[in-house]
Amino acid sequence: MKNTQEDKKITDASWKVWGPYVSDRQWGTVREDYSENGDAWQSTTHDMARSKAWRWGEEGIGGICDNLGNICFAWAFWNKKDAILKERFFGLSNFEGNHGEDVKELYYYLDNTPTHSYMKMLYKYPIEAFPYEQLLEENKRRSRLEPEFELIDTGVLNNNNYFDIFIEYAKASPTDILIKVTVNNLSSDKAKINILPTIWYSNDWSWQNKIRKPNITCLSEGEVLLQHPAMDTYHFYVKEEAPFLYCENETNNERLYQSKNDSNYAKDGINNYIVNNDETAINNEEGTKLSINYDVEIRPGQPATFCFRLSKEIIKNAFDDFDKIFSQRIKDADEFYEEIQKEIKTDDERAIQRQAFSGMLWNKQFYHYNVSKWLNGDERMPPPPQQRKHGRNYEWQHVDNKRVISMPDKWEYPWYATWDLAFHCVTLAVIDSNLAKEQLTLFTHDWYMHANGQLPAYEWDFGNVNPPVHAWSAWRVYKIDESNYGKSDTTFLKAIFHKLLLNFTWWVNRKDKEEDNIFEGGFLGLDNIGVFDRNMPLTDGLQLEQSDATSWMAMFALNMMRIALELSKFDSVYQDMASKFFEHFLTIAYAMENLQANGEGLWDEEDQFYYDRIRSKYGDNKILRLRSIVGIIPLFAVEVIDDNSLLKAPLFKERMNWIYENKPELAALVSRWQEQNNTQHLLSLLRGHRMKKILERLLDENEFLSLYGVRSLSKYHEKNPYKLSINNAHFEVAYTPGESDSAMFGGNSNWRGPIWMPMNFLIIESLQRFNYYYGDDFKVECPTHSGNFLTLKEVATYLSNKVVNLFIKDENGNRAFLGENQTLQKDTNFNEYLLFNEYFHGDSGKGLGASHQTGWTGLVAKIIQSKNRN
């Protein structure tokens, strides 16, 4: 176990009570939608957000809160030109963007530690009026074939005409948080700005009876008292004097609904006072929301710094030790990451990895959603429309979430996605395996997991189906945790194994329609990768049999087998469970070879590739010859059993031998089972020949291989679009390396050509596992047609370097993910700050989709660690 100051705090839960848990966006979410038709994007909007008190969470810029979301702190700014305060990041709804929802701000997560003992981020705020209308109108005008119009494209940041606002937090103790903001004017002229640190209580009193209202009031000069009936009293200390502006965190009903307000000082009171000079909008003495108004002029090269302290303690001279504590926490953070990164060879890779970890830690969010209350309404509110009773998520009324959860992106996706989270946890485990274990276990609890065994997908549709990667993640986190602490946490592994038994059974019972071990999972999180919407049932007795759904299930079975074998070291009863999943894997693998027992499987001998098939009730099949990542996913189902494991599991070995003797058709699927002197057994959907054929395409630069990793669709389809006609409906799929040109799933993500980090990660990991079995004598041509042959381990390293090259500076000093914009590439005020996009252009490597989806793109941090160890 590592022994830095940060490591000593990680296992103490009190150090995580406070963190960056405020969402970047609460408007436009399902939770806040109380409309008749379930139109979340129209029900609450960015324009409404400043005036509406939220029911289920809060939003802000660079915010922090406690782990129950009661007290929140965030930042507001005003450049004297905007029509509203900058209290939240602006972005477009799913219907406003030419490629779906999209944040239109520039902000960067620069540093964070697992306990949030030190955090730092940067927000770039224009000196001139923020171009709200220009961003709306230009993106509305553009088609899906054109790129998104971004803030930097408007010209408002030209000539460095903006403020660099650095936001920092440091903890003196778990409940003593030091806060600092530093505002730099990068322009050549002095500029005025209002800086408004804001603290408030989330509103629970407006919805329920018998809830006492909290209060914020000035206790003495420079000290604010925060009193809440359900939590400890806090003190907020202010170093630099400025006017205190109070209002209530309550909806301005007059503005939004033309009805009477509950208070004379509604939520937008501070906005109305600052921007509109409305002195009646604020209270001078108390409220549930407080801003401190620093109205300052900042000269170029003369940054302004303001300091605050939020503490449960009564502290005399609260700022005497402020700088000392900040310096110590920065030192602690540096020491923590120095230990993590001691094997990483370059400064650039270290910076990339640290910012990737930082983004993941900043994207933790307090998530509150009680579906039953949401559907049925609150005591103090009008009853919801009857249509809601059987509206979105009505079959998930057991869901009662009130925890801090790792989000994909707190603006673009300010709600959890279970399969995303599985990838998050593998990376988070490197720096905080306790957090990773807690997050994975959380989703198997009764107030998340359905009674039927299904894991919730995401709030837009909890019942949707994502790839079953929870068991894979649990095993990986278990092994990383074992490496971190030098001991095995079998309690965690047992607990999650038993719950995942229910999930596996749900898949078998619900997603194998013909009960033949060929699975139909739907779109499986891959959005528009199919020829048509794979969530839609086919007519006239047609059935889509999915290579990816079936492969994911084969992988799931192997993951469960591996976990059971590990647990059988400590309890022999798990040998029987290992046998169950071993045989289940074999039956899935056999079914993939013998669809409908007619010798035709999902492997196509003509193209030497895996494809989906459409099967009719009359027994004939149609192969969907679309070369996509769907045909590569069979690589992921791979496990190696060595004889040492079998010695510790004699009952499992006995069952293996029984299958060998009695089910030769299944036994043939295990490589070198009975070879003398062979100590390893390969369980995989692929033998050597098929794997080489898949890798032949995967490593072909004219097909899947890009300069920056593996594409999600073969470039072959750029000149040879795939076309399909079913029941007089015509479909076409072409290689589309950038944003989606399709409206399928909102058009805000694209699996028809770009590079996706989680798929590349699983490819790399699978190749490493195959290499463990085949060894260094087994080589493939890499790249295809190059005449250069590499071991599978070397191919894994080769692909690792490619995806890291998305972020690394090239020989010209450019980072691929930044695209062609020369300001981003060459200006030192931009090119050292990294974004971790949702996916990347299949040819250029430009970052696309959600700009802060560090969640699964943060896997690059794990890739950097692994490749430096090889």
Side-chain angles (χ1 to χ4, degrees), residues 19 110 258 269 277 729 830 850 853:
L110 302 182
Q258 296 76 54
N277 201 28
F830 285 94
Q853 196 166 348

Side-chain angles (χ1 to χ4, degrees), residues 100-114:
E101 63 263 38
D102 186 24
V103 68
K104 295 299 181 185
E105 306 268 11
L106 281 166
Y107 56 102
Y108 304 88
Y109 298 130
L110 302 182
D111 213 354
N112 210 323
T113 60

Side-chain angles (χ1 to χ4, degrees), residues 157 487 818:
L157 304 180
K487 58 182 180 180
L818 289 173

Side-chain angles (χ1 to χ4, degrees), residues 341-400:
Q341 299 180 327
K342 60 187 178 183
E343 296 174 313
I344 298 175
K345 300 175 181 65
T346 70
D347 290 340
D348 206 9
E349 285 191 341
R350 281 190 287 271
I352 292 164
Q353 188 191 53
R354 187 159 173 175
Q355 286 190 51
F357 284 136
S358 169
M360 297 191 72
L361 293 168
W362 271 98
N363 270 327
K364 290 164 66 176
Q365 178 187 316
F366 170 68
Y367 184 87
H368 188 196
Y369 188 20
N370 182 310
V371 173
S372 179
K373 283 188 177 181
W374 178 73
L375 288 171
N376 296 311
D378 287 293
E379 300 163 326
R380 299 191 62 195
M381 289 291 155
Q386 283 299 310
Q387 296 94 317
R388 288 177 57 82
K389 296 287 185 179
H390 289 85
R392 182 178 278 124
N393 294 327
Y394 78 95
E395 294 177 327
W396 290 76
Q397 294 195 43
H398 69 284
V399 167
D400 185 5

